[in-house]
Amino acid sequence: MRVDLRRLPSPDDLLILLTVARLGRFNAVAETLGTTHTTISRRILALDKQLGGRTLERSPHGWELTQLGASAVTAAETIEETLGSLSGLIRQDQHALSGLVRISTSDGFGSEFVTPALVRLQRQHPLLNVEMLSATRKVSQNRSGVDLEIVVGRTDVSNAQTIFLSNYYLRLYASPAYAGEFGLPETLDGVGQHCFVSYVESALQVAELGHRWSAQLPMPKSSFQATSVFAQVEAVRRGAGIGLLPNFMVAGTPEFVPVLPDDFQRQLPIWAVARPESLRSAPVQAVIASLKEEVRSRQELLAG
Amino acid sequence: MRVDLRRLPSPDDLLILLTVARLGRFNAVAETLGTTHTTISRRILALDKQLGGRTLERSPHGWELTQLGASAVTAAETIEETLGSLSGLIRQDQHALSGLVRISTSDGFGSEFVTPALVRLQRQHPLLNVEMLSATRKVSQNRSGVDLEIVVGRTDVSNAQTIFLSNYYLRLYASPAYAGEFGLPETLDGVGQHCFVSYVESALQVAELGHRWSAQLPMPKSSFQATSVFAQVEAVRRGAGIGLLPNFMVAGTPEFVPVLPDDFQRQLPIWAVARPESLRSAPVQAVIASLKEEVRSRQELLAG
DNA sequence: GCTCGTATGTGCATCAATGCACATACCGTC
DNA sequence: GACGGTATGTGCATTGATGCACATACGAGC
């Protein structure tokens, strides 16, 4: 039934009348609703005008409903019940996270940051299912099948929202054994005389991750190329050469020594990217919040 | 179910969302609700905050509901329906007067004023049933069975409301034939030499209507007594004697001549009396309004 | 690509609702 | 009857909601 909403009695005023009917005194109602008796008095007066009659009459023990008031209170009870059910629904949605969230992420950052963040969230919400798709890829244009993408580098997308998570650094590293056997270069040009460990350039989707990204790094004498950052880290650890690696994966361990740390580093941003409709999902929002918390609390590792 | 009303989403905002869901554009909603798109935009924003998520998303053909928005609209529809029913109830009460109104009234005033007032009202509201109980009686203390009493004289009641209708006058009258045959007295003392037409004193409930009410009128030589004022009027008309009659029943007609009009008249108020709960009834109120209109428009007759 | 019309959002002025201080009324106690 | 406590109503200042003017964005048509 469609009615002219401008002509209806105020539902807020009806709810106030309901509280007056329950408590019997304006002061009690004001206290309960966190307002003043004067406001209550005025709202009842306004309601009486809207309804065209008196809703309350004085009695020795406070206010009592007129016949008109009783009809109004019946309507108010229905409204209260309806609003209460709606609130209950929302509160349920917010607290009991469930369903499936699919996340695409690079394997380095994914295993180091995304995995612990998701594990922590799933411990809080056992009904939440998580799928983590590891791929070092450029941000996709449509993200079908994926709720959230964790991407590196620039993000030129027009129909999605990007949420900055953190910066991290690619730096040159070698193993102590390699350094001891072959020495380390004194300048960046000297890097060309060494074996280089890197991504497979022809298969690389994020150019910033490759050694060709800037003219600073010369063509290597020989190279060890792998599509997995874990393989690269392992290759460097085993003395295959100098590698351009994410700092957060090797920094501070004695198995890796920095190469020309004052001369070269590359800063890369990491983003979470999602469609607007995905961002309205409480689980997705919870994942984002958990990721933010993870990078926030481990900022030293990312900056190191 | 009792809920904390301070924490509930605003029902007014929910009704706005309902209108947006129906019309798809803020401008259309603003026009329908007699406000501006900026206000609509702000109210939706406020609602989204209350509900903890977005209720609407953009689509090529306007706004579309989110899942949360759909739940909110379902609640809004219930509220709209509830308010519409309440409004319908009130409108019905106000415009289509129906039911039964029982009125107790004196037979002189009743037939001259109350009857035309009620007839006029019933013409406007054919479903309104009226019972007119004629009795020249003192205002009763409980009025059971009667919605409204029309009473003469003083009204000392503690649990009812009295509404002043008008004053009228008792004056002395005789017929021209009587005057021609017996002459008219020159002073009030001379009235005692005449036959007197009056109420039955022993059965009279309203003392002010009787000739004994003040010392101004002497005991008559003989008397014609009747419980009906109509009988008294007829008796005077037929020459039974001098009568103390309501002015509005005889003034201005050639069948009655005033007796000592400058020496004697008695002013009496007429009231409508009702319990507070009767006064909340739209039909009773309508009767009172009609009575007031009747005496107002015929004030010359009452004062004459 | 430019222009126009329509839809939505921002900032400031205006208006309506509310809070606060006080007044009045009523009831119970001494 | 006087006093104190409680309940409700009035007038003015303050706060929050809304209107108005303008800005921005988008889509359709030329």
Side-chain angles (χ1 to χ4, degrees):
Chain A
M1 182 179 81
R2 299 201 174 178
V3 296
D4 186 349
L5 296 182
R6 284 175 303 177
R7 305 286 174 86
L8 295 176
S10 158
D12 281 319
D13 291 347
L14 287 172
L15 292 174
I16 287 171
L17 177 68
L18 175 62
T19 313
V20 173
R22 286 182 180 150
L23 301 180
R25 295 179 302 106
F26 287 169
N27 276 327
V29 173
E31 197 175 313
T32 299
L33 300 183
T35 181
T36 63
H37 72 269
T38 49
T39 295
I40 302 300
S41 176
R42 288 172 182 143
R43 302 258 38 101
I44 295 296
L45 203 63
L47 182 64
D48 288 353
K49 282 185 70 175
Q50 292 161 33
L51 297 180
R54 297 293 301 269
T55 51
L56 295 169
E57 60 186 2
R58 305 292 330 231
S59 84
H61 34 85
W63 293 106
E64 283 189 358
L65 293 170
T66 63
Q67 196 172 9
L68 176 61
S71 300
V73 159
T74 302
E77 277 165 345
T78 303
I79 291 169
E80 184 194 43
E81 169 73 38
T82 303
L83 291 175
S85 297
L86 178 60
S87 281
L89 207 70
I90 292 156
R91 217 171 293 125
Q92 196 177 11
D93 278 358
Q94 281 177 348
H95 290 84
L97 291 181
S98 61
L100 170 66
V101 180
R102 306 173 78 112
I103 298 141
S104 163
T105 183
S106 63
D107 54 8
F109 188 82
S111 63
E112 185 66 27
F113 291 96
V114 176
T115 302
L118 293 182
V119 169
R120 190 174 71 245
L121 186 64
Q122 203 171 33
R123 285 226 179 93
Q124 295 171 13
H125 302 281
L127 296 182
L128 184 64
N129 294 311
V130 170
E131 279 188 6
M132 209 175 106
L133 314 175
S134 298
T136 306
R137 53 196 296 180
K138 209 166 170 179
V139 58
S140 71
Q141 289 298 323
N142 58 24
R143 270 163 301 284
S144 58
V146 173
D147 296 305
L148 192 66
E149 274 190 300
I150 311 298
V151 296
V152 176
R154 293 183 312 176
T155 56
D156 295 324
V157 286
S158 60
N159 60 345
Q161 184 168 342
T162 55
I163 298 142
F164 179 71
L165 293 178
S166 183
N167 284 312
Y168 77 96
Y169 300 91
L170 294 184
R171 293 201 184 102
L172 298 174
Y173 294 98
S175 71
Y178 182 88
E181 183 168 11
F182 298 100
L184 294 179
E186 304 275 338
T187 65
L188 285 178
D189 285 333
V191 173
Q193 310 304 319
H194 288 268
C195 198
F196 206 82
V197 181
S198 70
Y199 276 100
V200 183
E201 298 282 350
S202 62
L204 192 57
Q205 294 199 16
V206 185
E208 294 102 312
L209 296 177
H211 82 266
R212 281 184 186 178
W213 177 240
S214 73
Q216 280 182 294
L217 293 178
M219 288 298 294
K221 189 174 75 175
S222 67
S223 67
F224 179 95
Q225 299 189 333
T227 54
S228 162
V229 72
F230 295 116
Q232 292 166 45
V233 168
E234 188 64 15
V236 171
R237 181 187 280 113
R238 300 210 173 207
I242 294 170
L244 184 65
L245 303 175
N247 64 316
F248 63 79
M249 292 184 79
V250 297
T253 70
E255 293 165 307
F256 298 93
V257 293
V259 179
L260 301 172
D262 298 318
D263 296 333
F264 184 83
Q265 80 173 1
R266 190 180 293 163
Q267 180 184 43
L268 294 178
I270 296 196
W271 312 86
V273 184
R275 286 164 304 169
E277 55 265 34
S278 291
L279 289 178
R280 277 194 278 275
S281 154
V284 173
Q285 286 289 347
V287 168
I288 293 166
S290 196
L291 286 171
K292 282 181 176 177
E293 170 63 18
E294 185 69 22
V295 296
R296 190 196 62 80
S297 64
R298 299 173 70 187
Q299 200 53 229
E300 303 89 349
L301 181 60
L302 284 160
Chain B
M1 182 179 79
R2 301 201 172 177
V3 297
D4 186 350
L5 297 182
R6 284 175 301 177
R7 305 287 172 85
L8 295 176
S10 158
D12 280 319
D13 290 349
L14 286 172
L15 293 173
I16 287 172
L17 178 68
L18 175 61
T19 313
V20 173
R22 287 182 178 147
L23 301 182
R25 294 179 304 107
F26 287 169
N27 275 328
V29 174
E31 198 175 312
T32 299
L33 299 184
T35 181
T36 62
H37 72 268
T38 51
T39 296
I40 302 300
S41 177
R42 287 173 182 145
R43 301 251 46 91
I44 296 295
L45 202 66
L47 180 64
D48 288 353
K49 280 186 72 174
Q50 292 162 33
L51 298 180
R54 298 293 303 269
T55 51
L56 293 170
E57 60 189 0
R58 305 293 329 229
S59 86
H61 34 84
W63 293 105
E64 282 190 358
L65 293 170
T66 62
Q67 196 173 5
L68 175 63
S71 301
V73 159
T74 301
E77 277 166 345
T78 303
I79 291 169
E80 185 194 43
E81 168 74 38
T82 303
L83 292 175
S85 298
L86 178 61
S87 282
L89 206 71
I90 292 157
R91 217 173 291 127
Q92 196 177 8
D93 280 357
Q94 280 177 347
H95 289 87
L97 292 183
S98 60
L100 170 66
V101 179
R102 304 173 77 113
I103 299 140
S104 163
T105 183
S106 61
D107 54 6
F109 187 81
S111 64
E112 185 67 29
F113 290 95
V114 177
T115 301
L118 294 181
V119 169
R120 189 174 73 245
L121 186 64
Q122 203 171 35
R123 284 224 180 96
Q124 294 171 17
H125 302 280
L127 296 182
L128 184 63
N129 295 312
V130 170
E131 281 188 8
M132 211 175 103
L133 314 174
S134 299
T136 307
R137 50 194 301 179
K138 204 166 174 178
V139 56
S140 71
Q141 288 298 322
N142 58 24
R143 270 165 300 287
S144 57
V146 175
D147 297 304
L148 192 67
E149 275 189 298
I150 312 298
V151 297
V152 177
R154 293 184 312 178
T155 56
D156 295 326
V157 287
S158 60
N159 60 343
Q161 182 167 343
T162 55
I163 298 140
F164 178 72
L165 293 177
S166 182
N167 284 312
Y168 77 93
Y169 300 91
L170 296 182
R171 293 200 184 100
L172 299 174
Y173 295 96
S175 70
Y178 183 89
E181 186 169 8
F182 297 98
L184 295 179
E186 305 274 340
T187 66
L188 285 178
D189 286 334
V191 174
Q193 311 304 317
H194 288 267
C195 196
F196 205 82
V197 181
S198 70
Y199 276 99
V200 183
E201 294 282 295
S202 60
L204 192 57
Q205 295 201 18
V206 186
E208 295 103 311
L209 296 177
H211 83 266
R212 284 187 184 177
W213 177 241
S214 72
Q216 280 181 297
L217 293 177
M219 291 299 295
K221 188 173 74 171
S222 66
S223 66
F224 178 95
Q225 297 189 334
T227 56
S228 159
V229 72
F230 293 116
Q232 292 168 45
V233 168
E234 188 64 15
V236 171
R237 179 189 281 118
R238 301 218 172 198
I242 294 172
L244 184 63
L245 304 177
N247 63 318
F248 63 79
M249 293 183 78
V250 297
T253 68
E255 295 168 303
F256 299 91
V257 294
V259 181
L260 301 172
D262 298 319
D263 295 335
F264 184 81
Q265 79 171 2
R266 188 179 294 161
Q267 178 184 39
L268 295 178
I270 299 195
W271 311 86
V273 184
R275 286 165 303 173
E277 52 267 31
S278 294
L279 290 178
R280 274 191 279 276
S281 152
V284 173
Q285 286 288 345
V287 168
I288 292 166
S290 197
L291 286 172
K292 282 181 175 176
E293 170 61 15
E294 186 68 21
V295 295
R296 190 196 63 81
S297 64
R298 299 174 68 188
Q299 203 50 232
E300 304 90 349
L301 182 61
L302 284 161

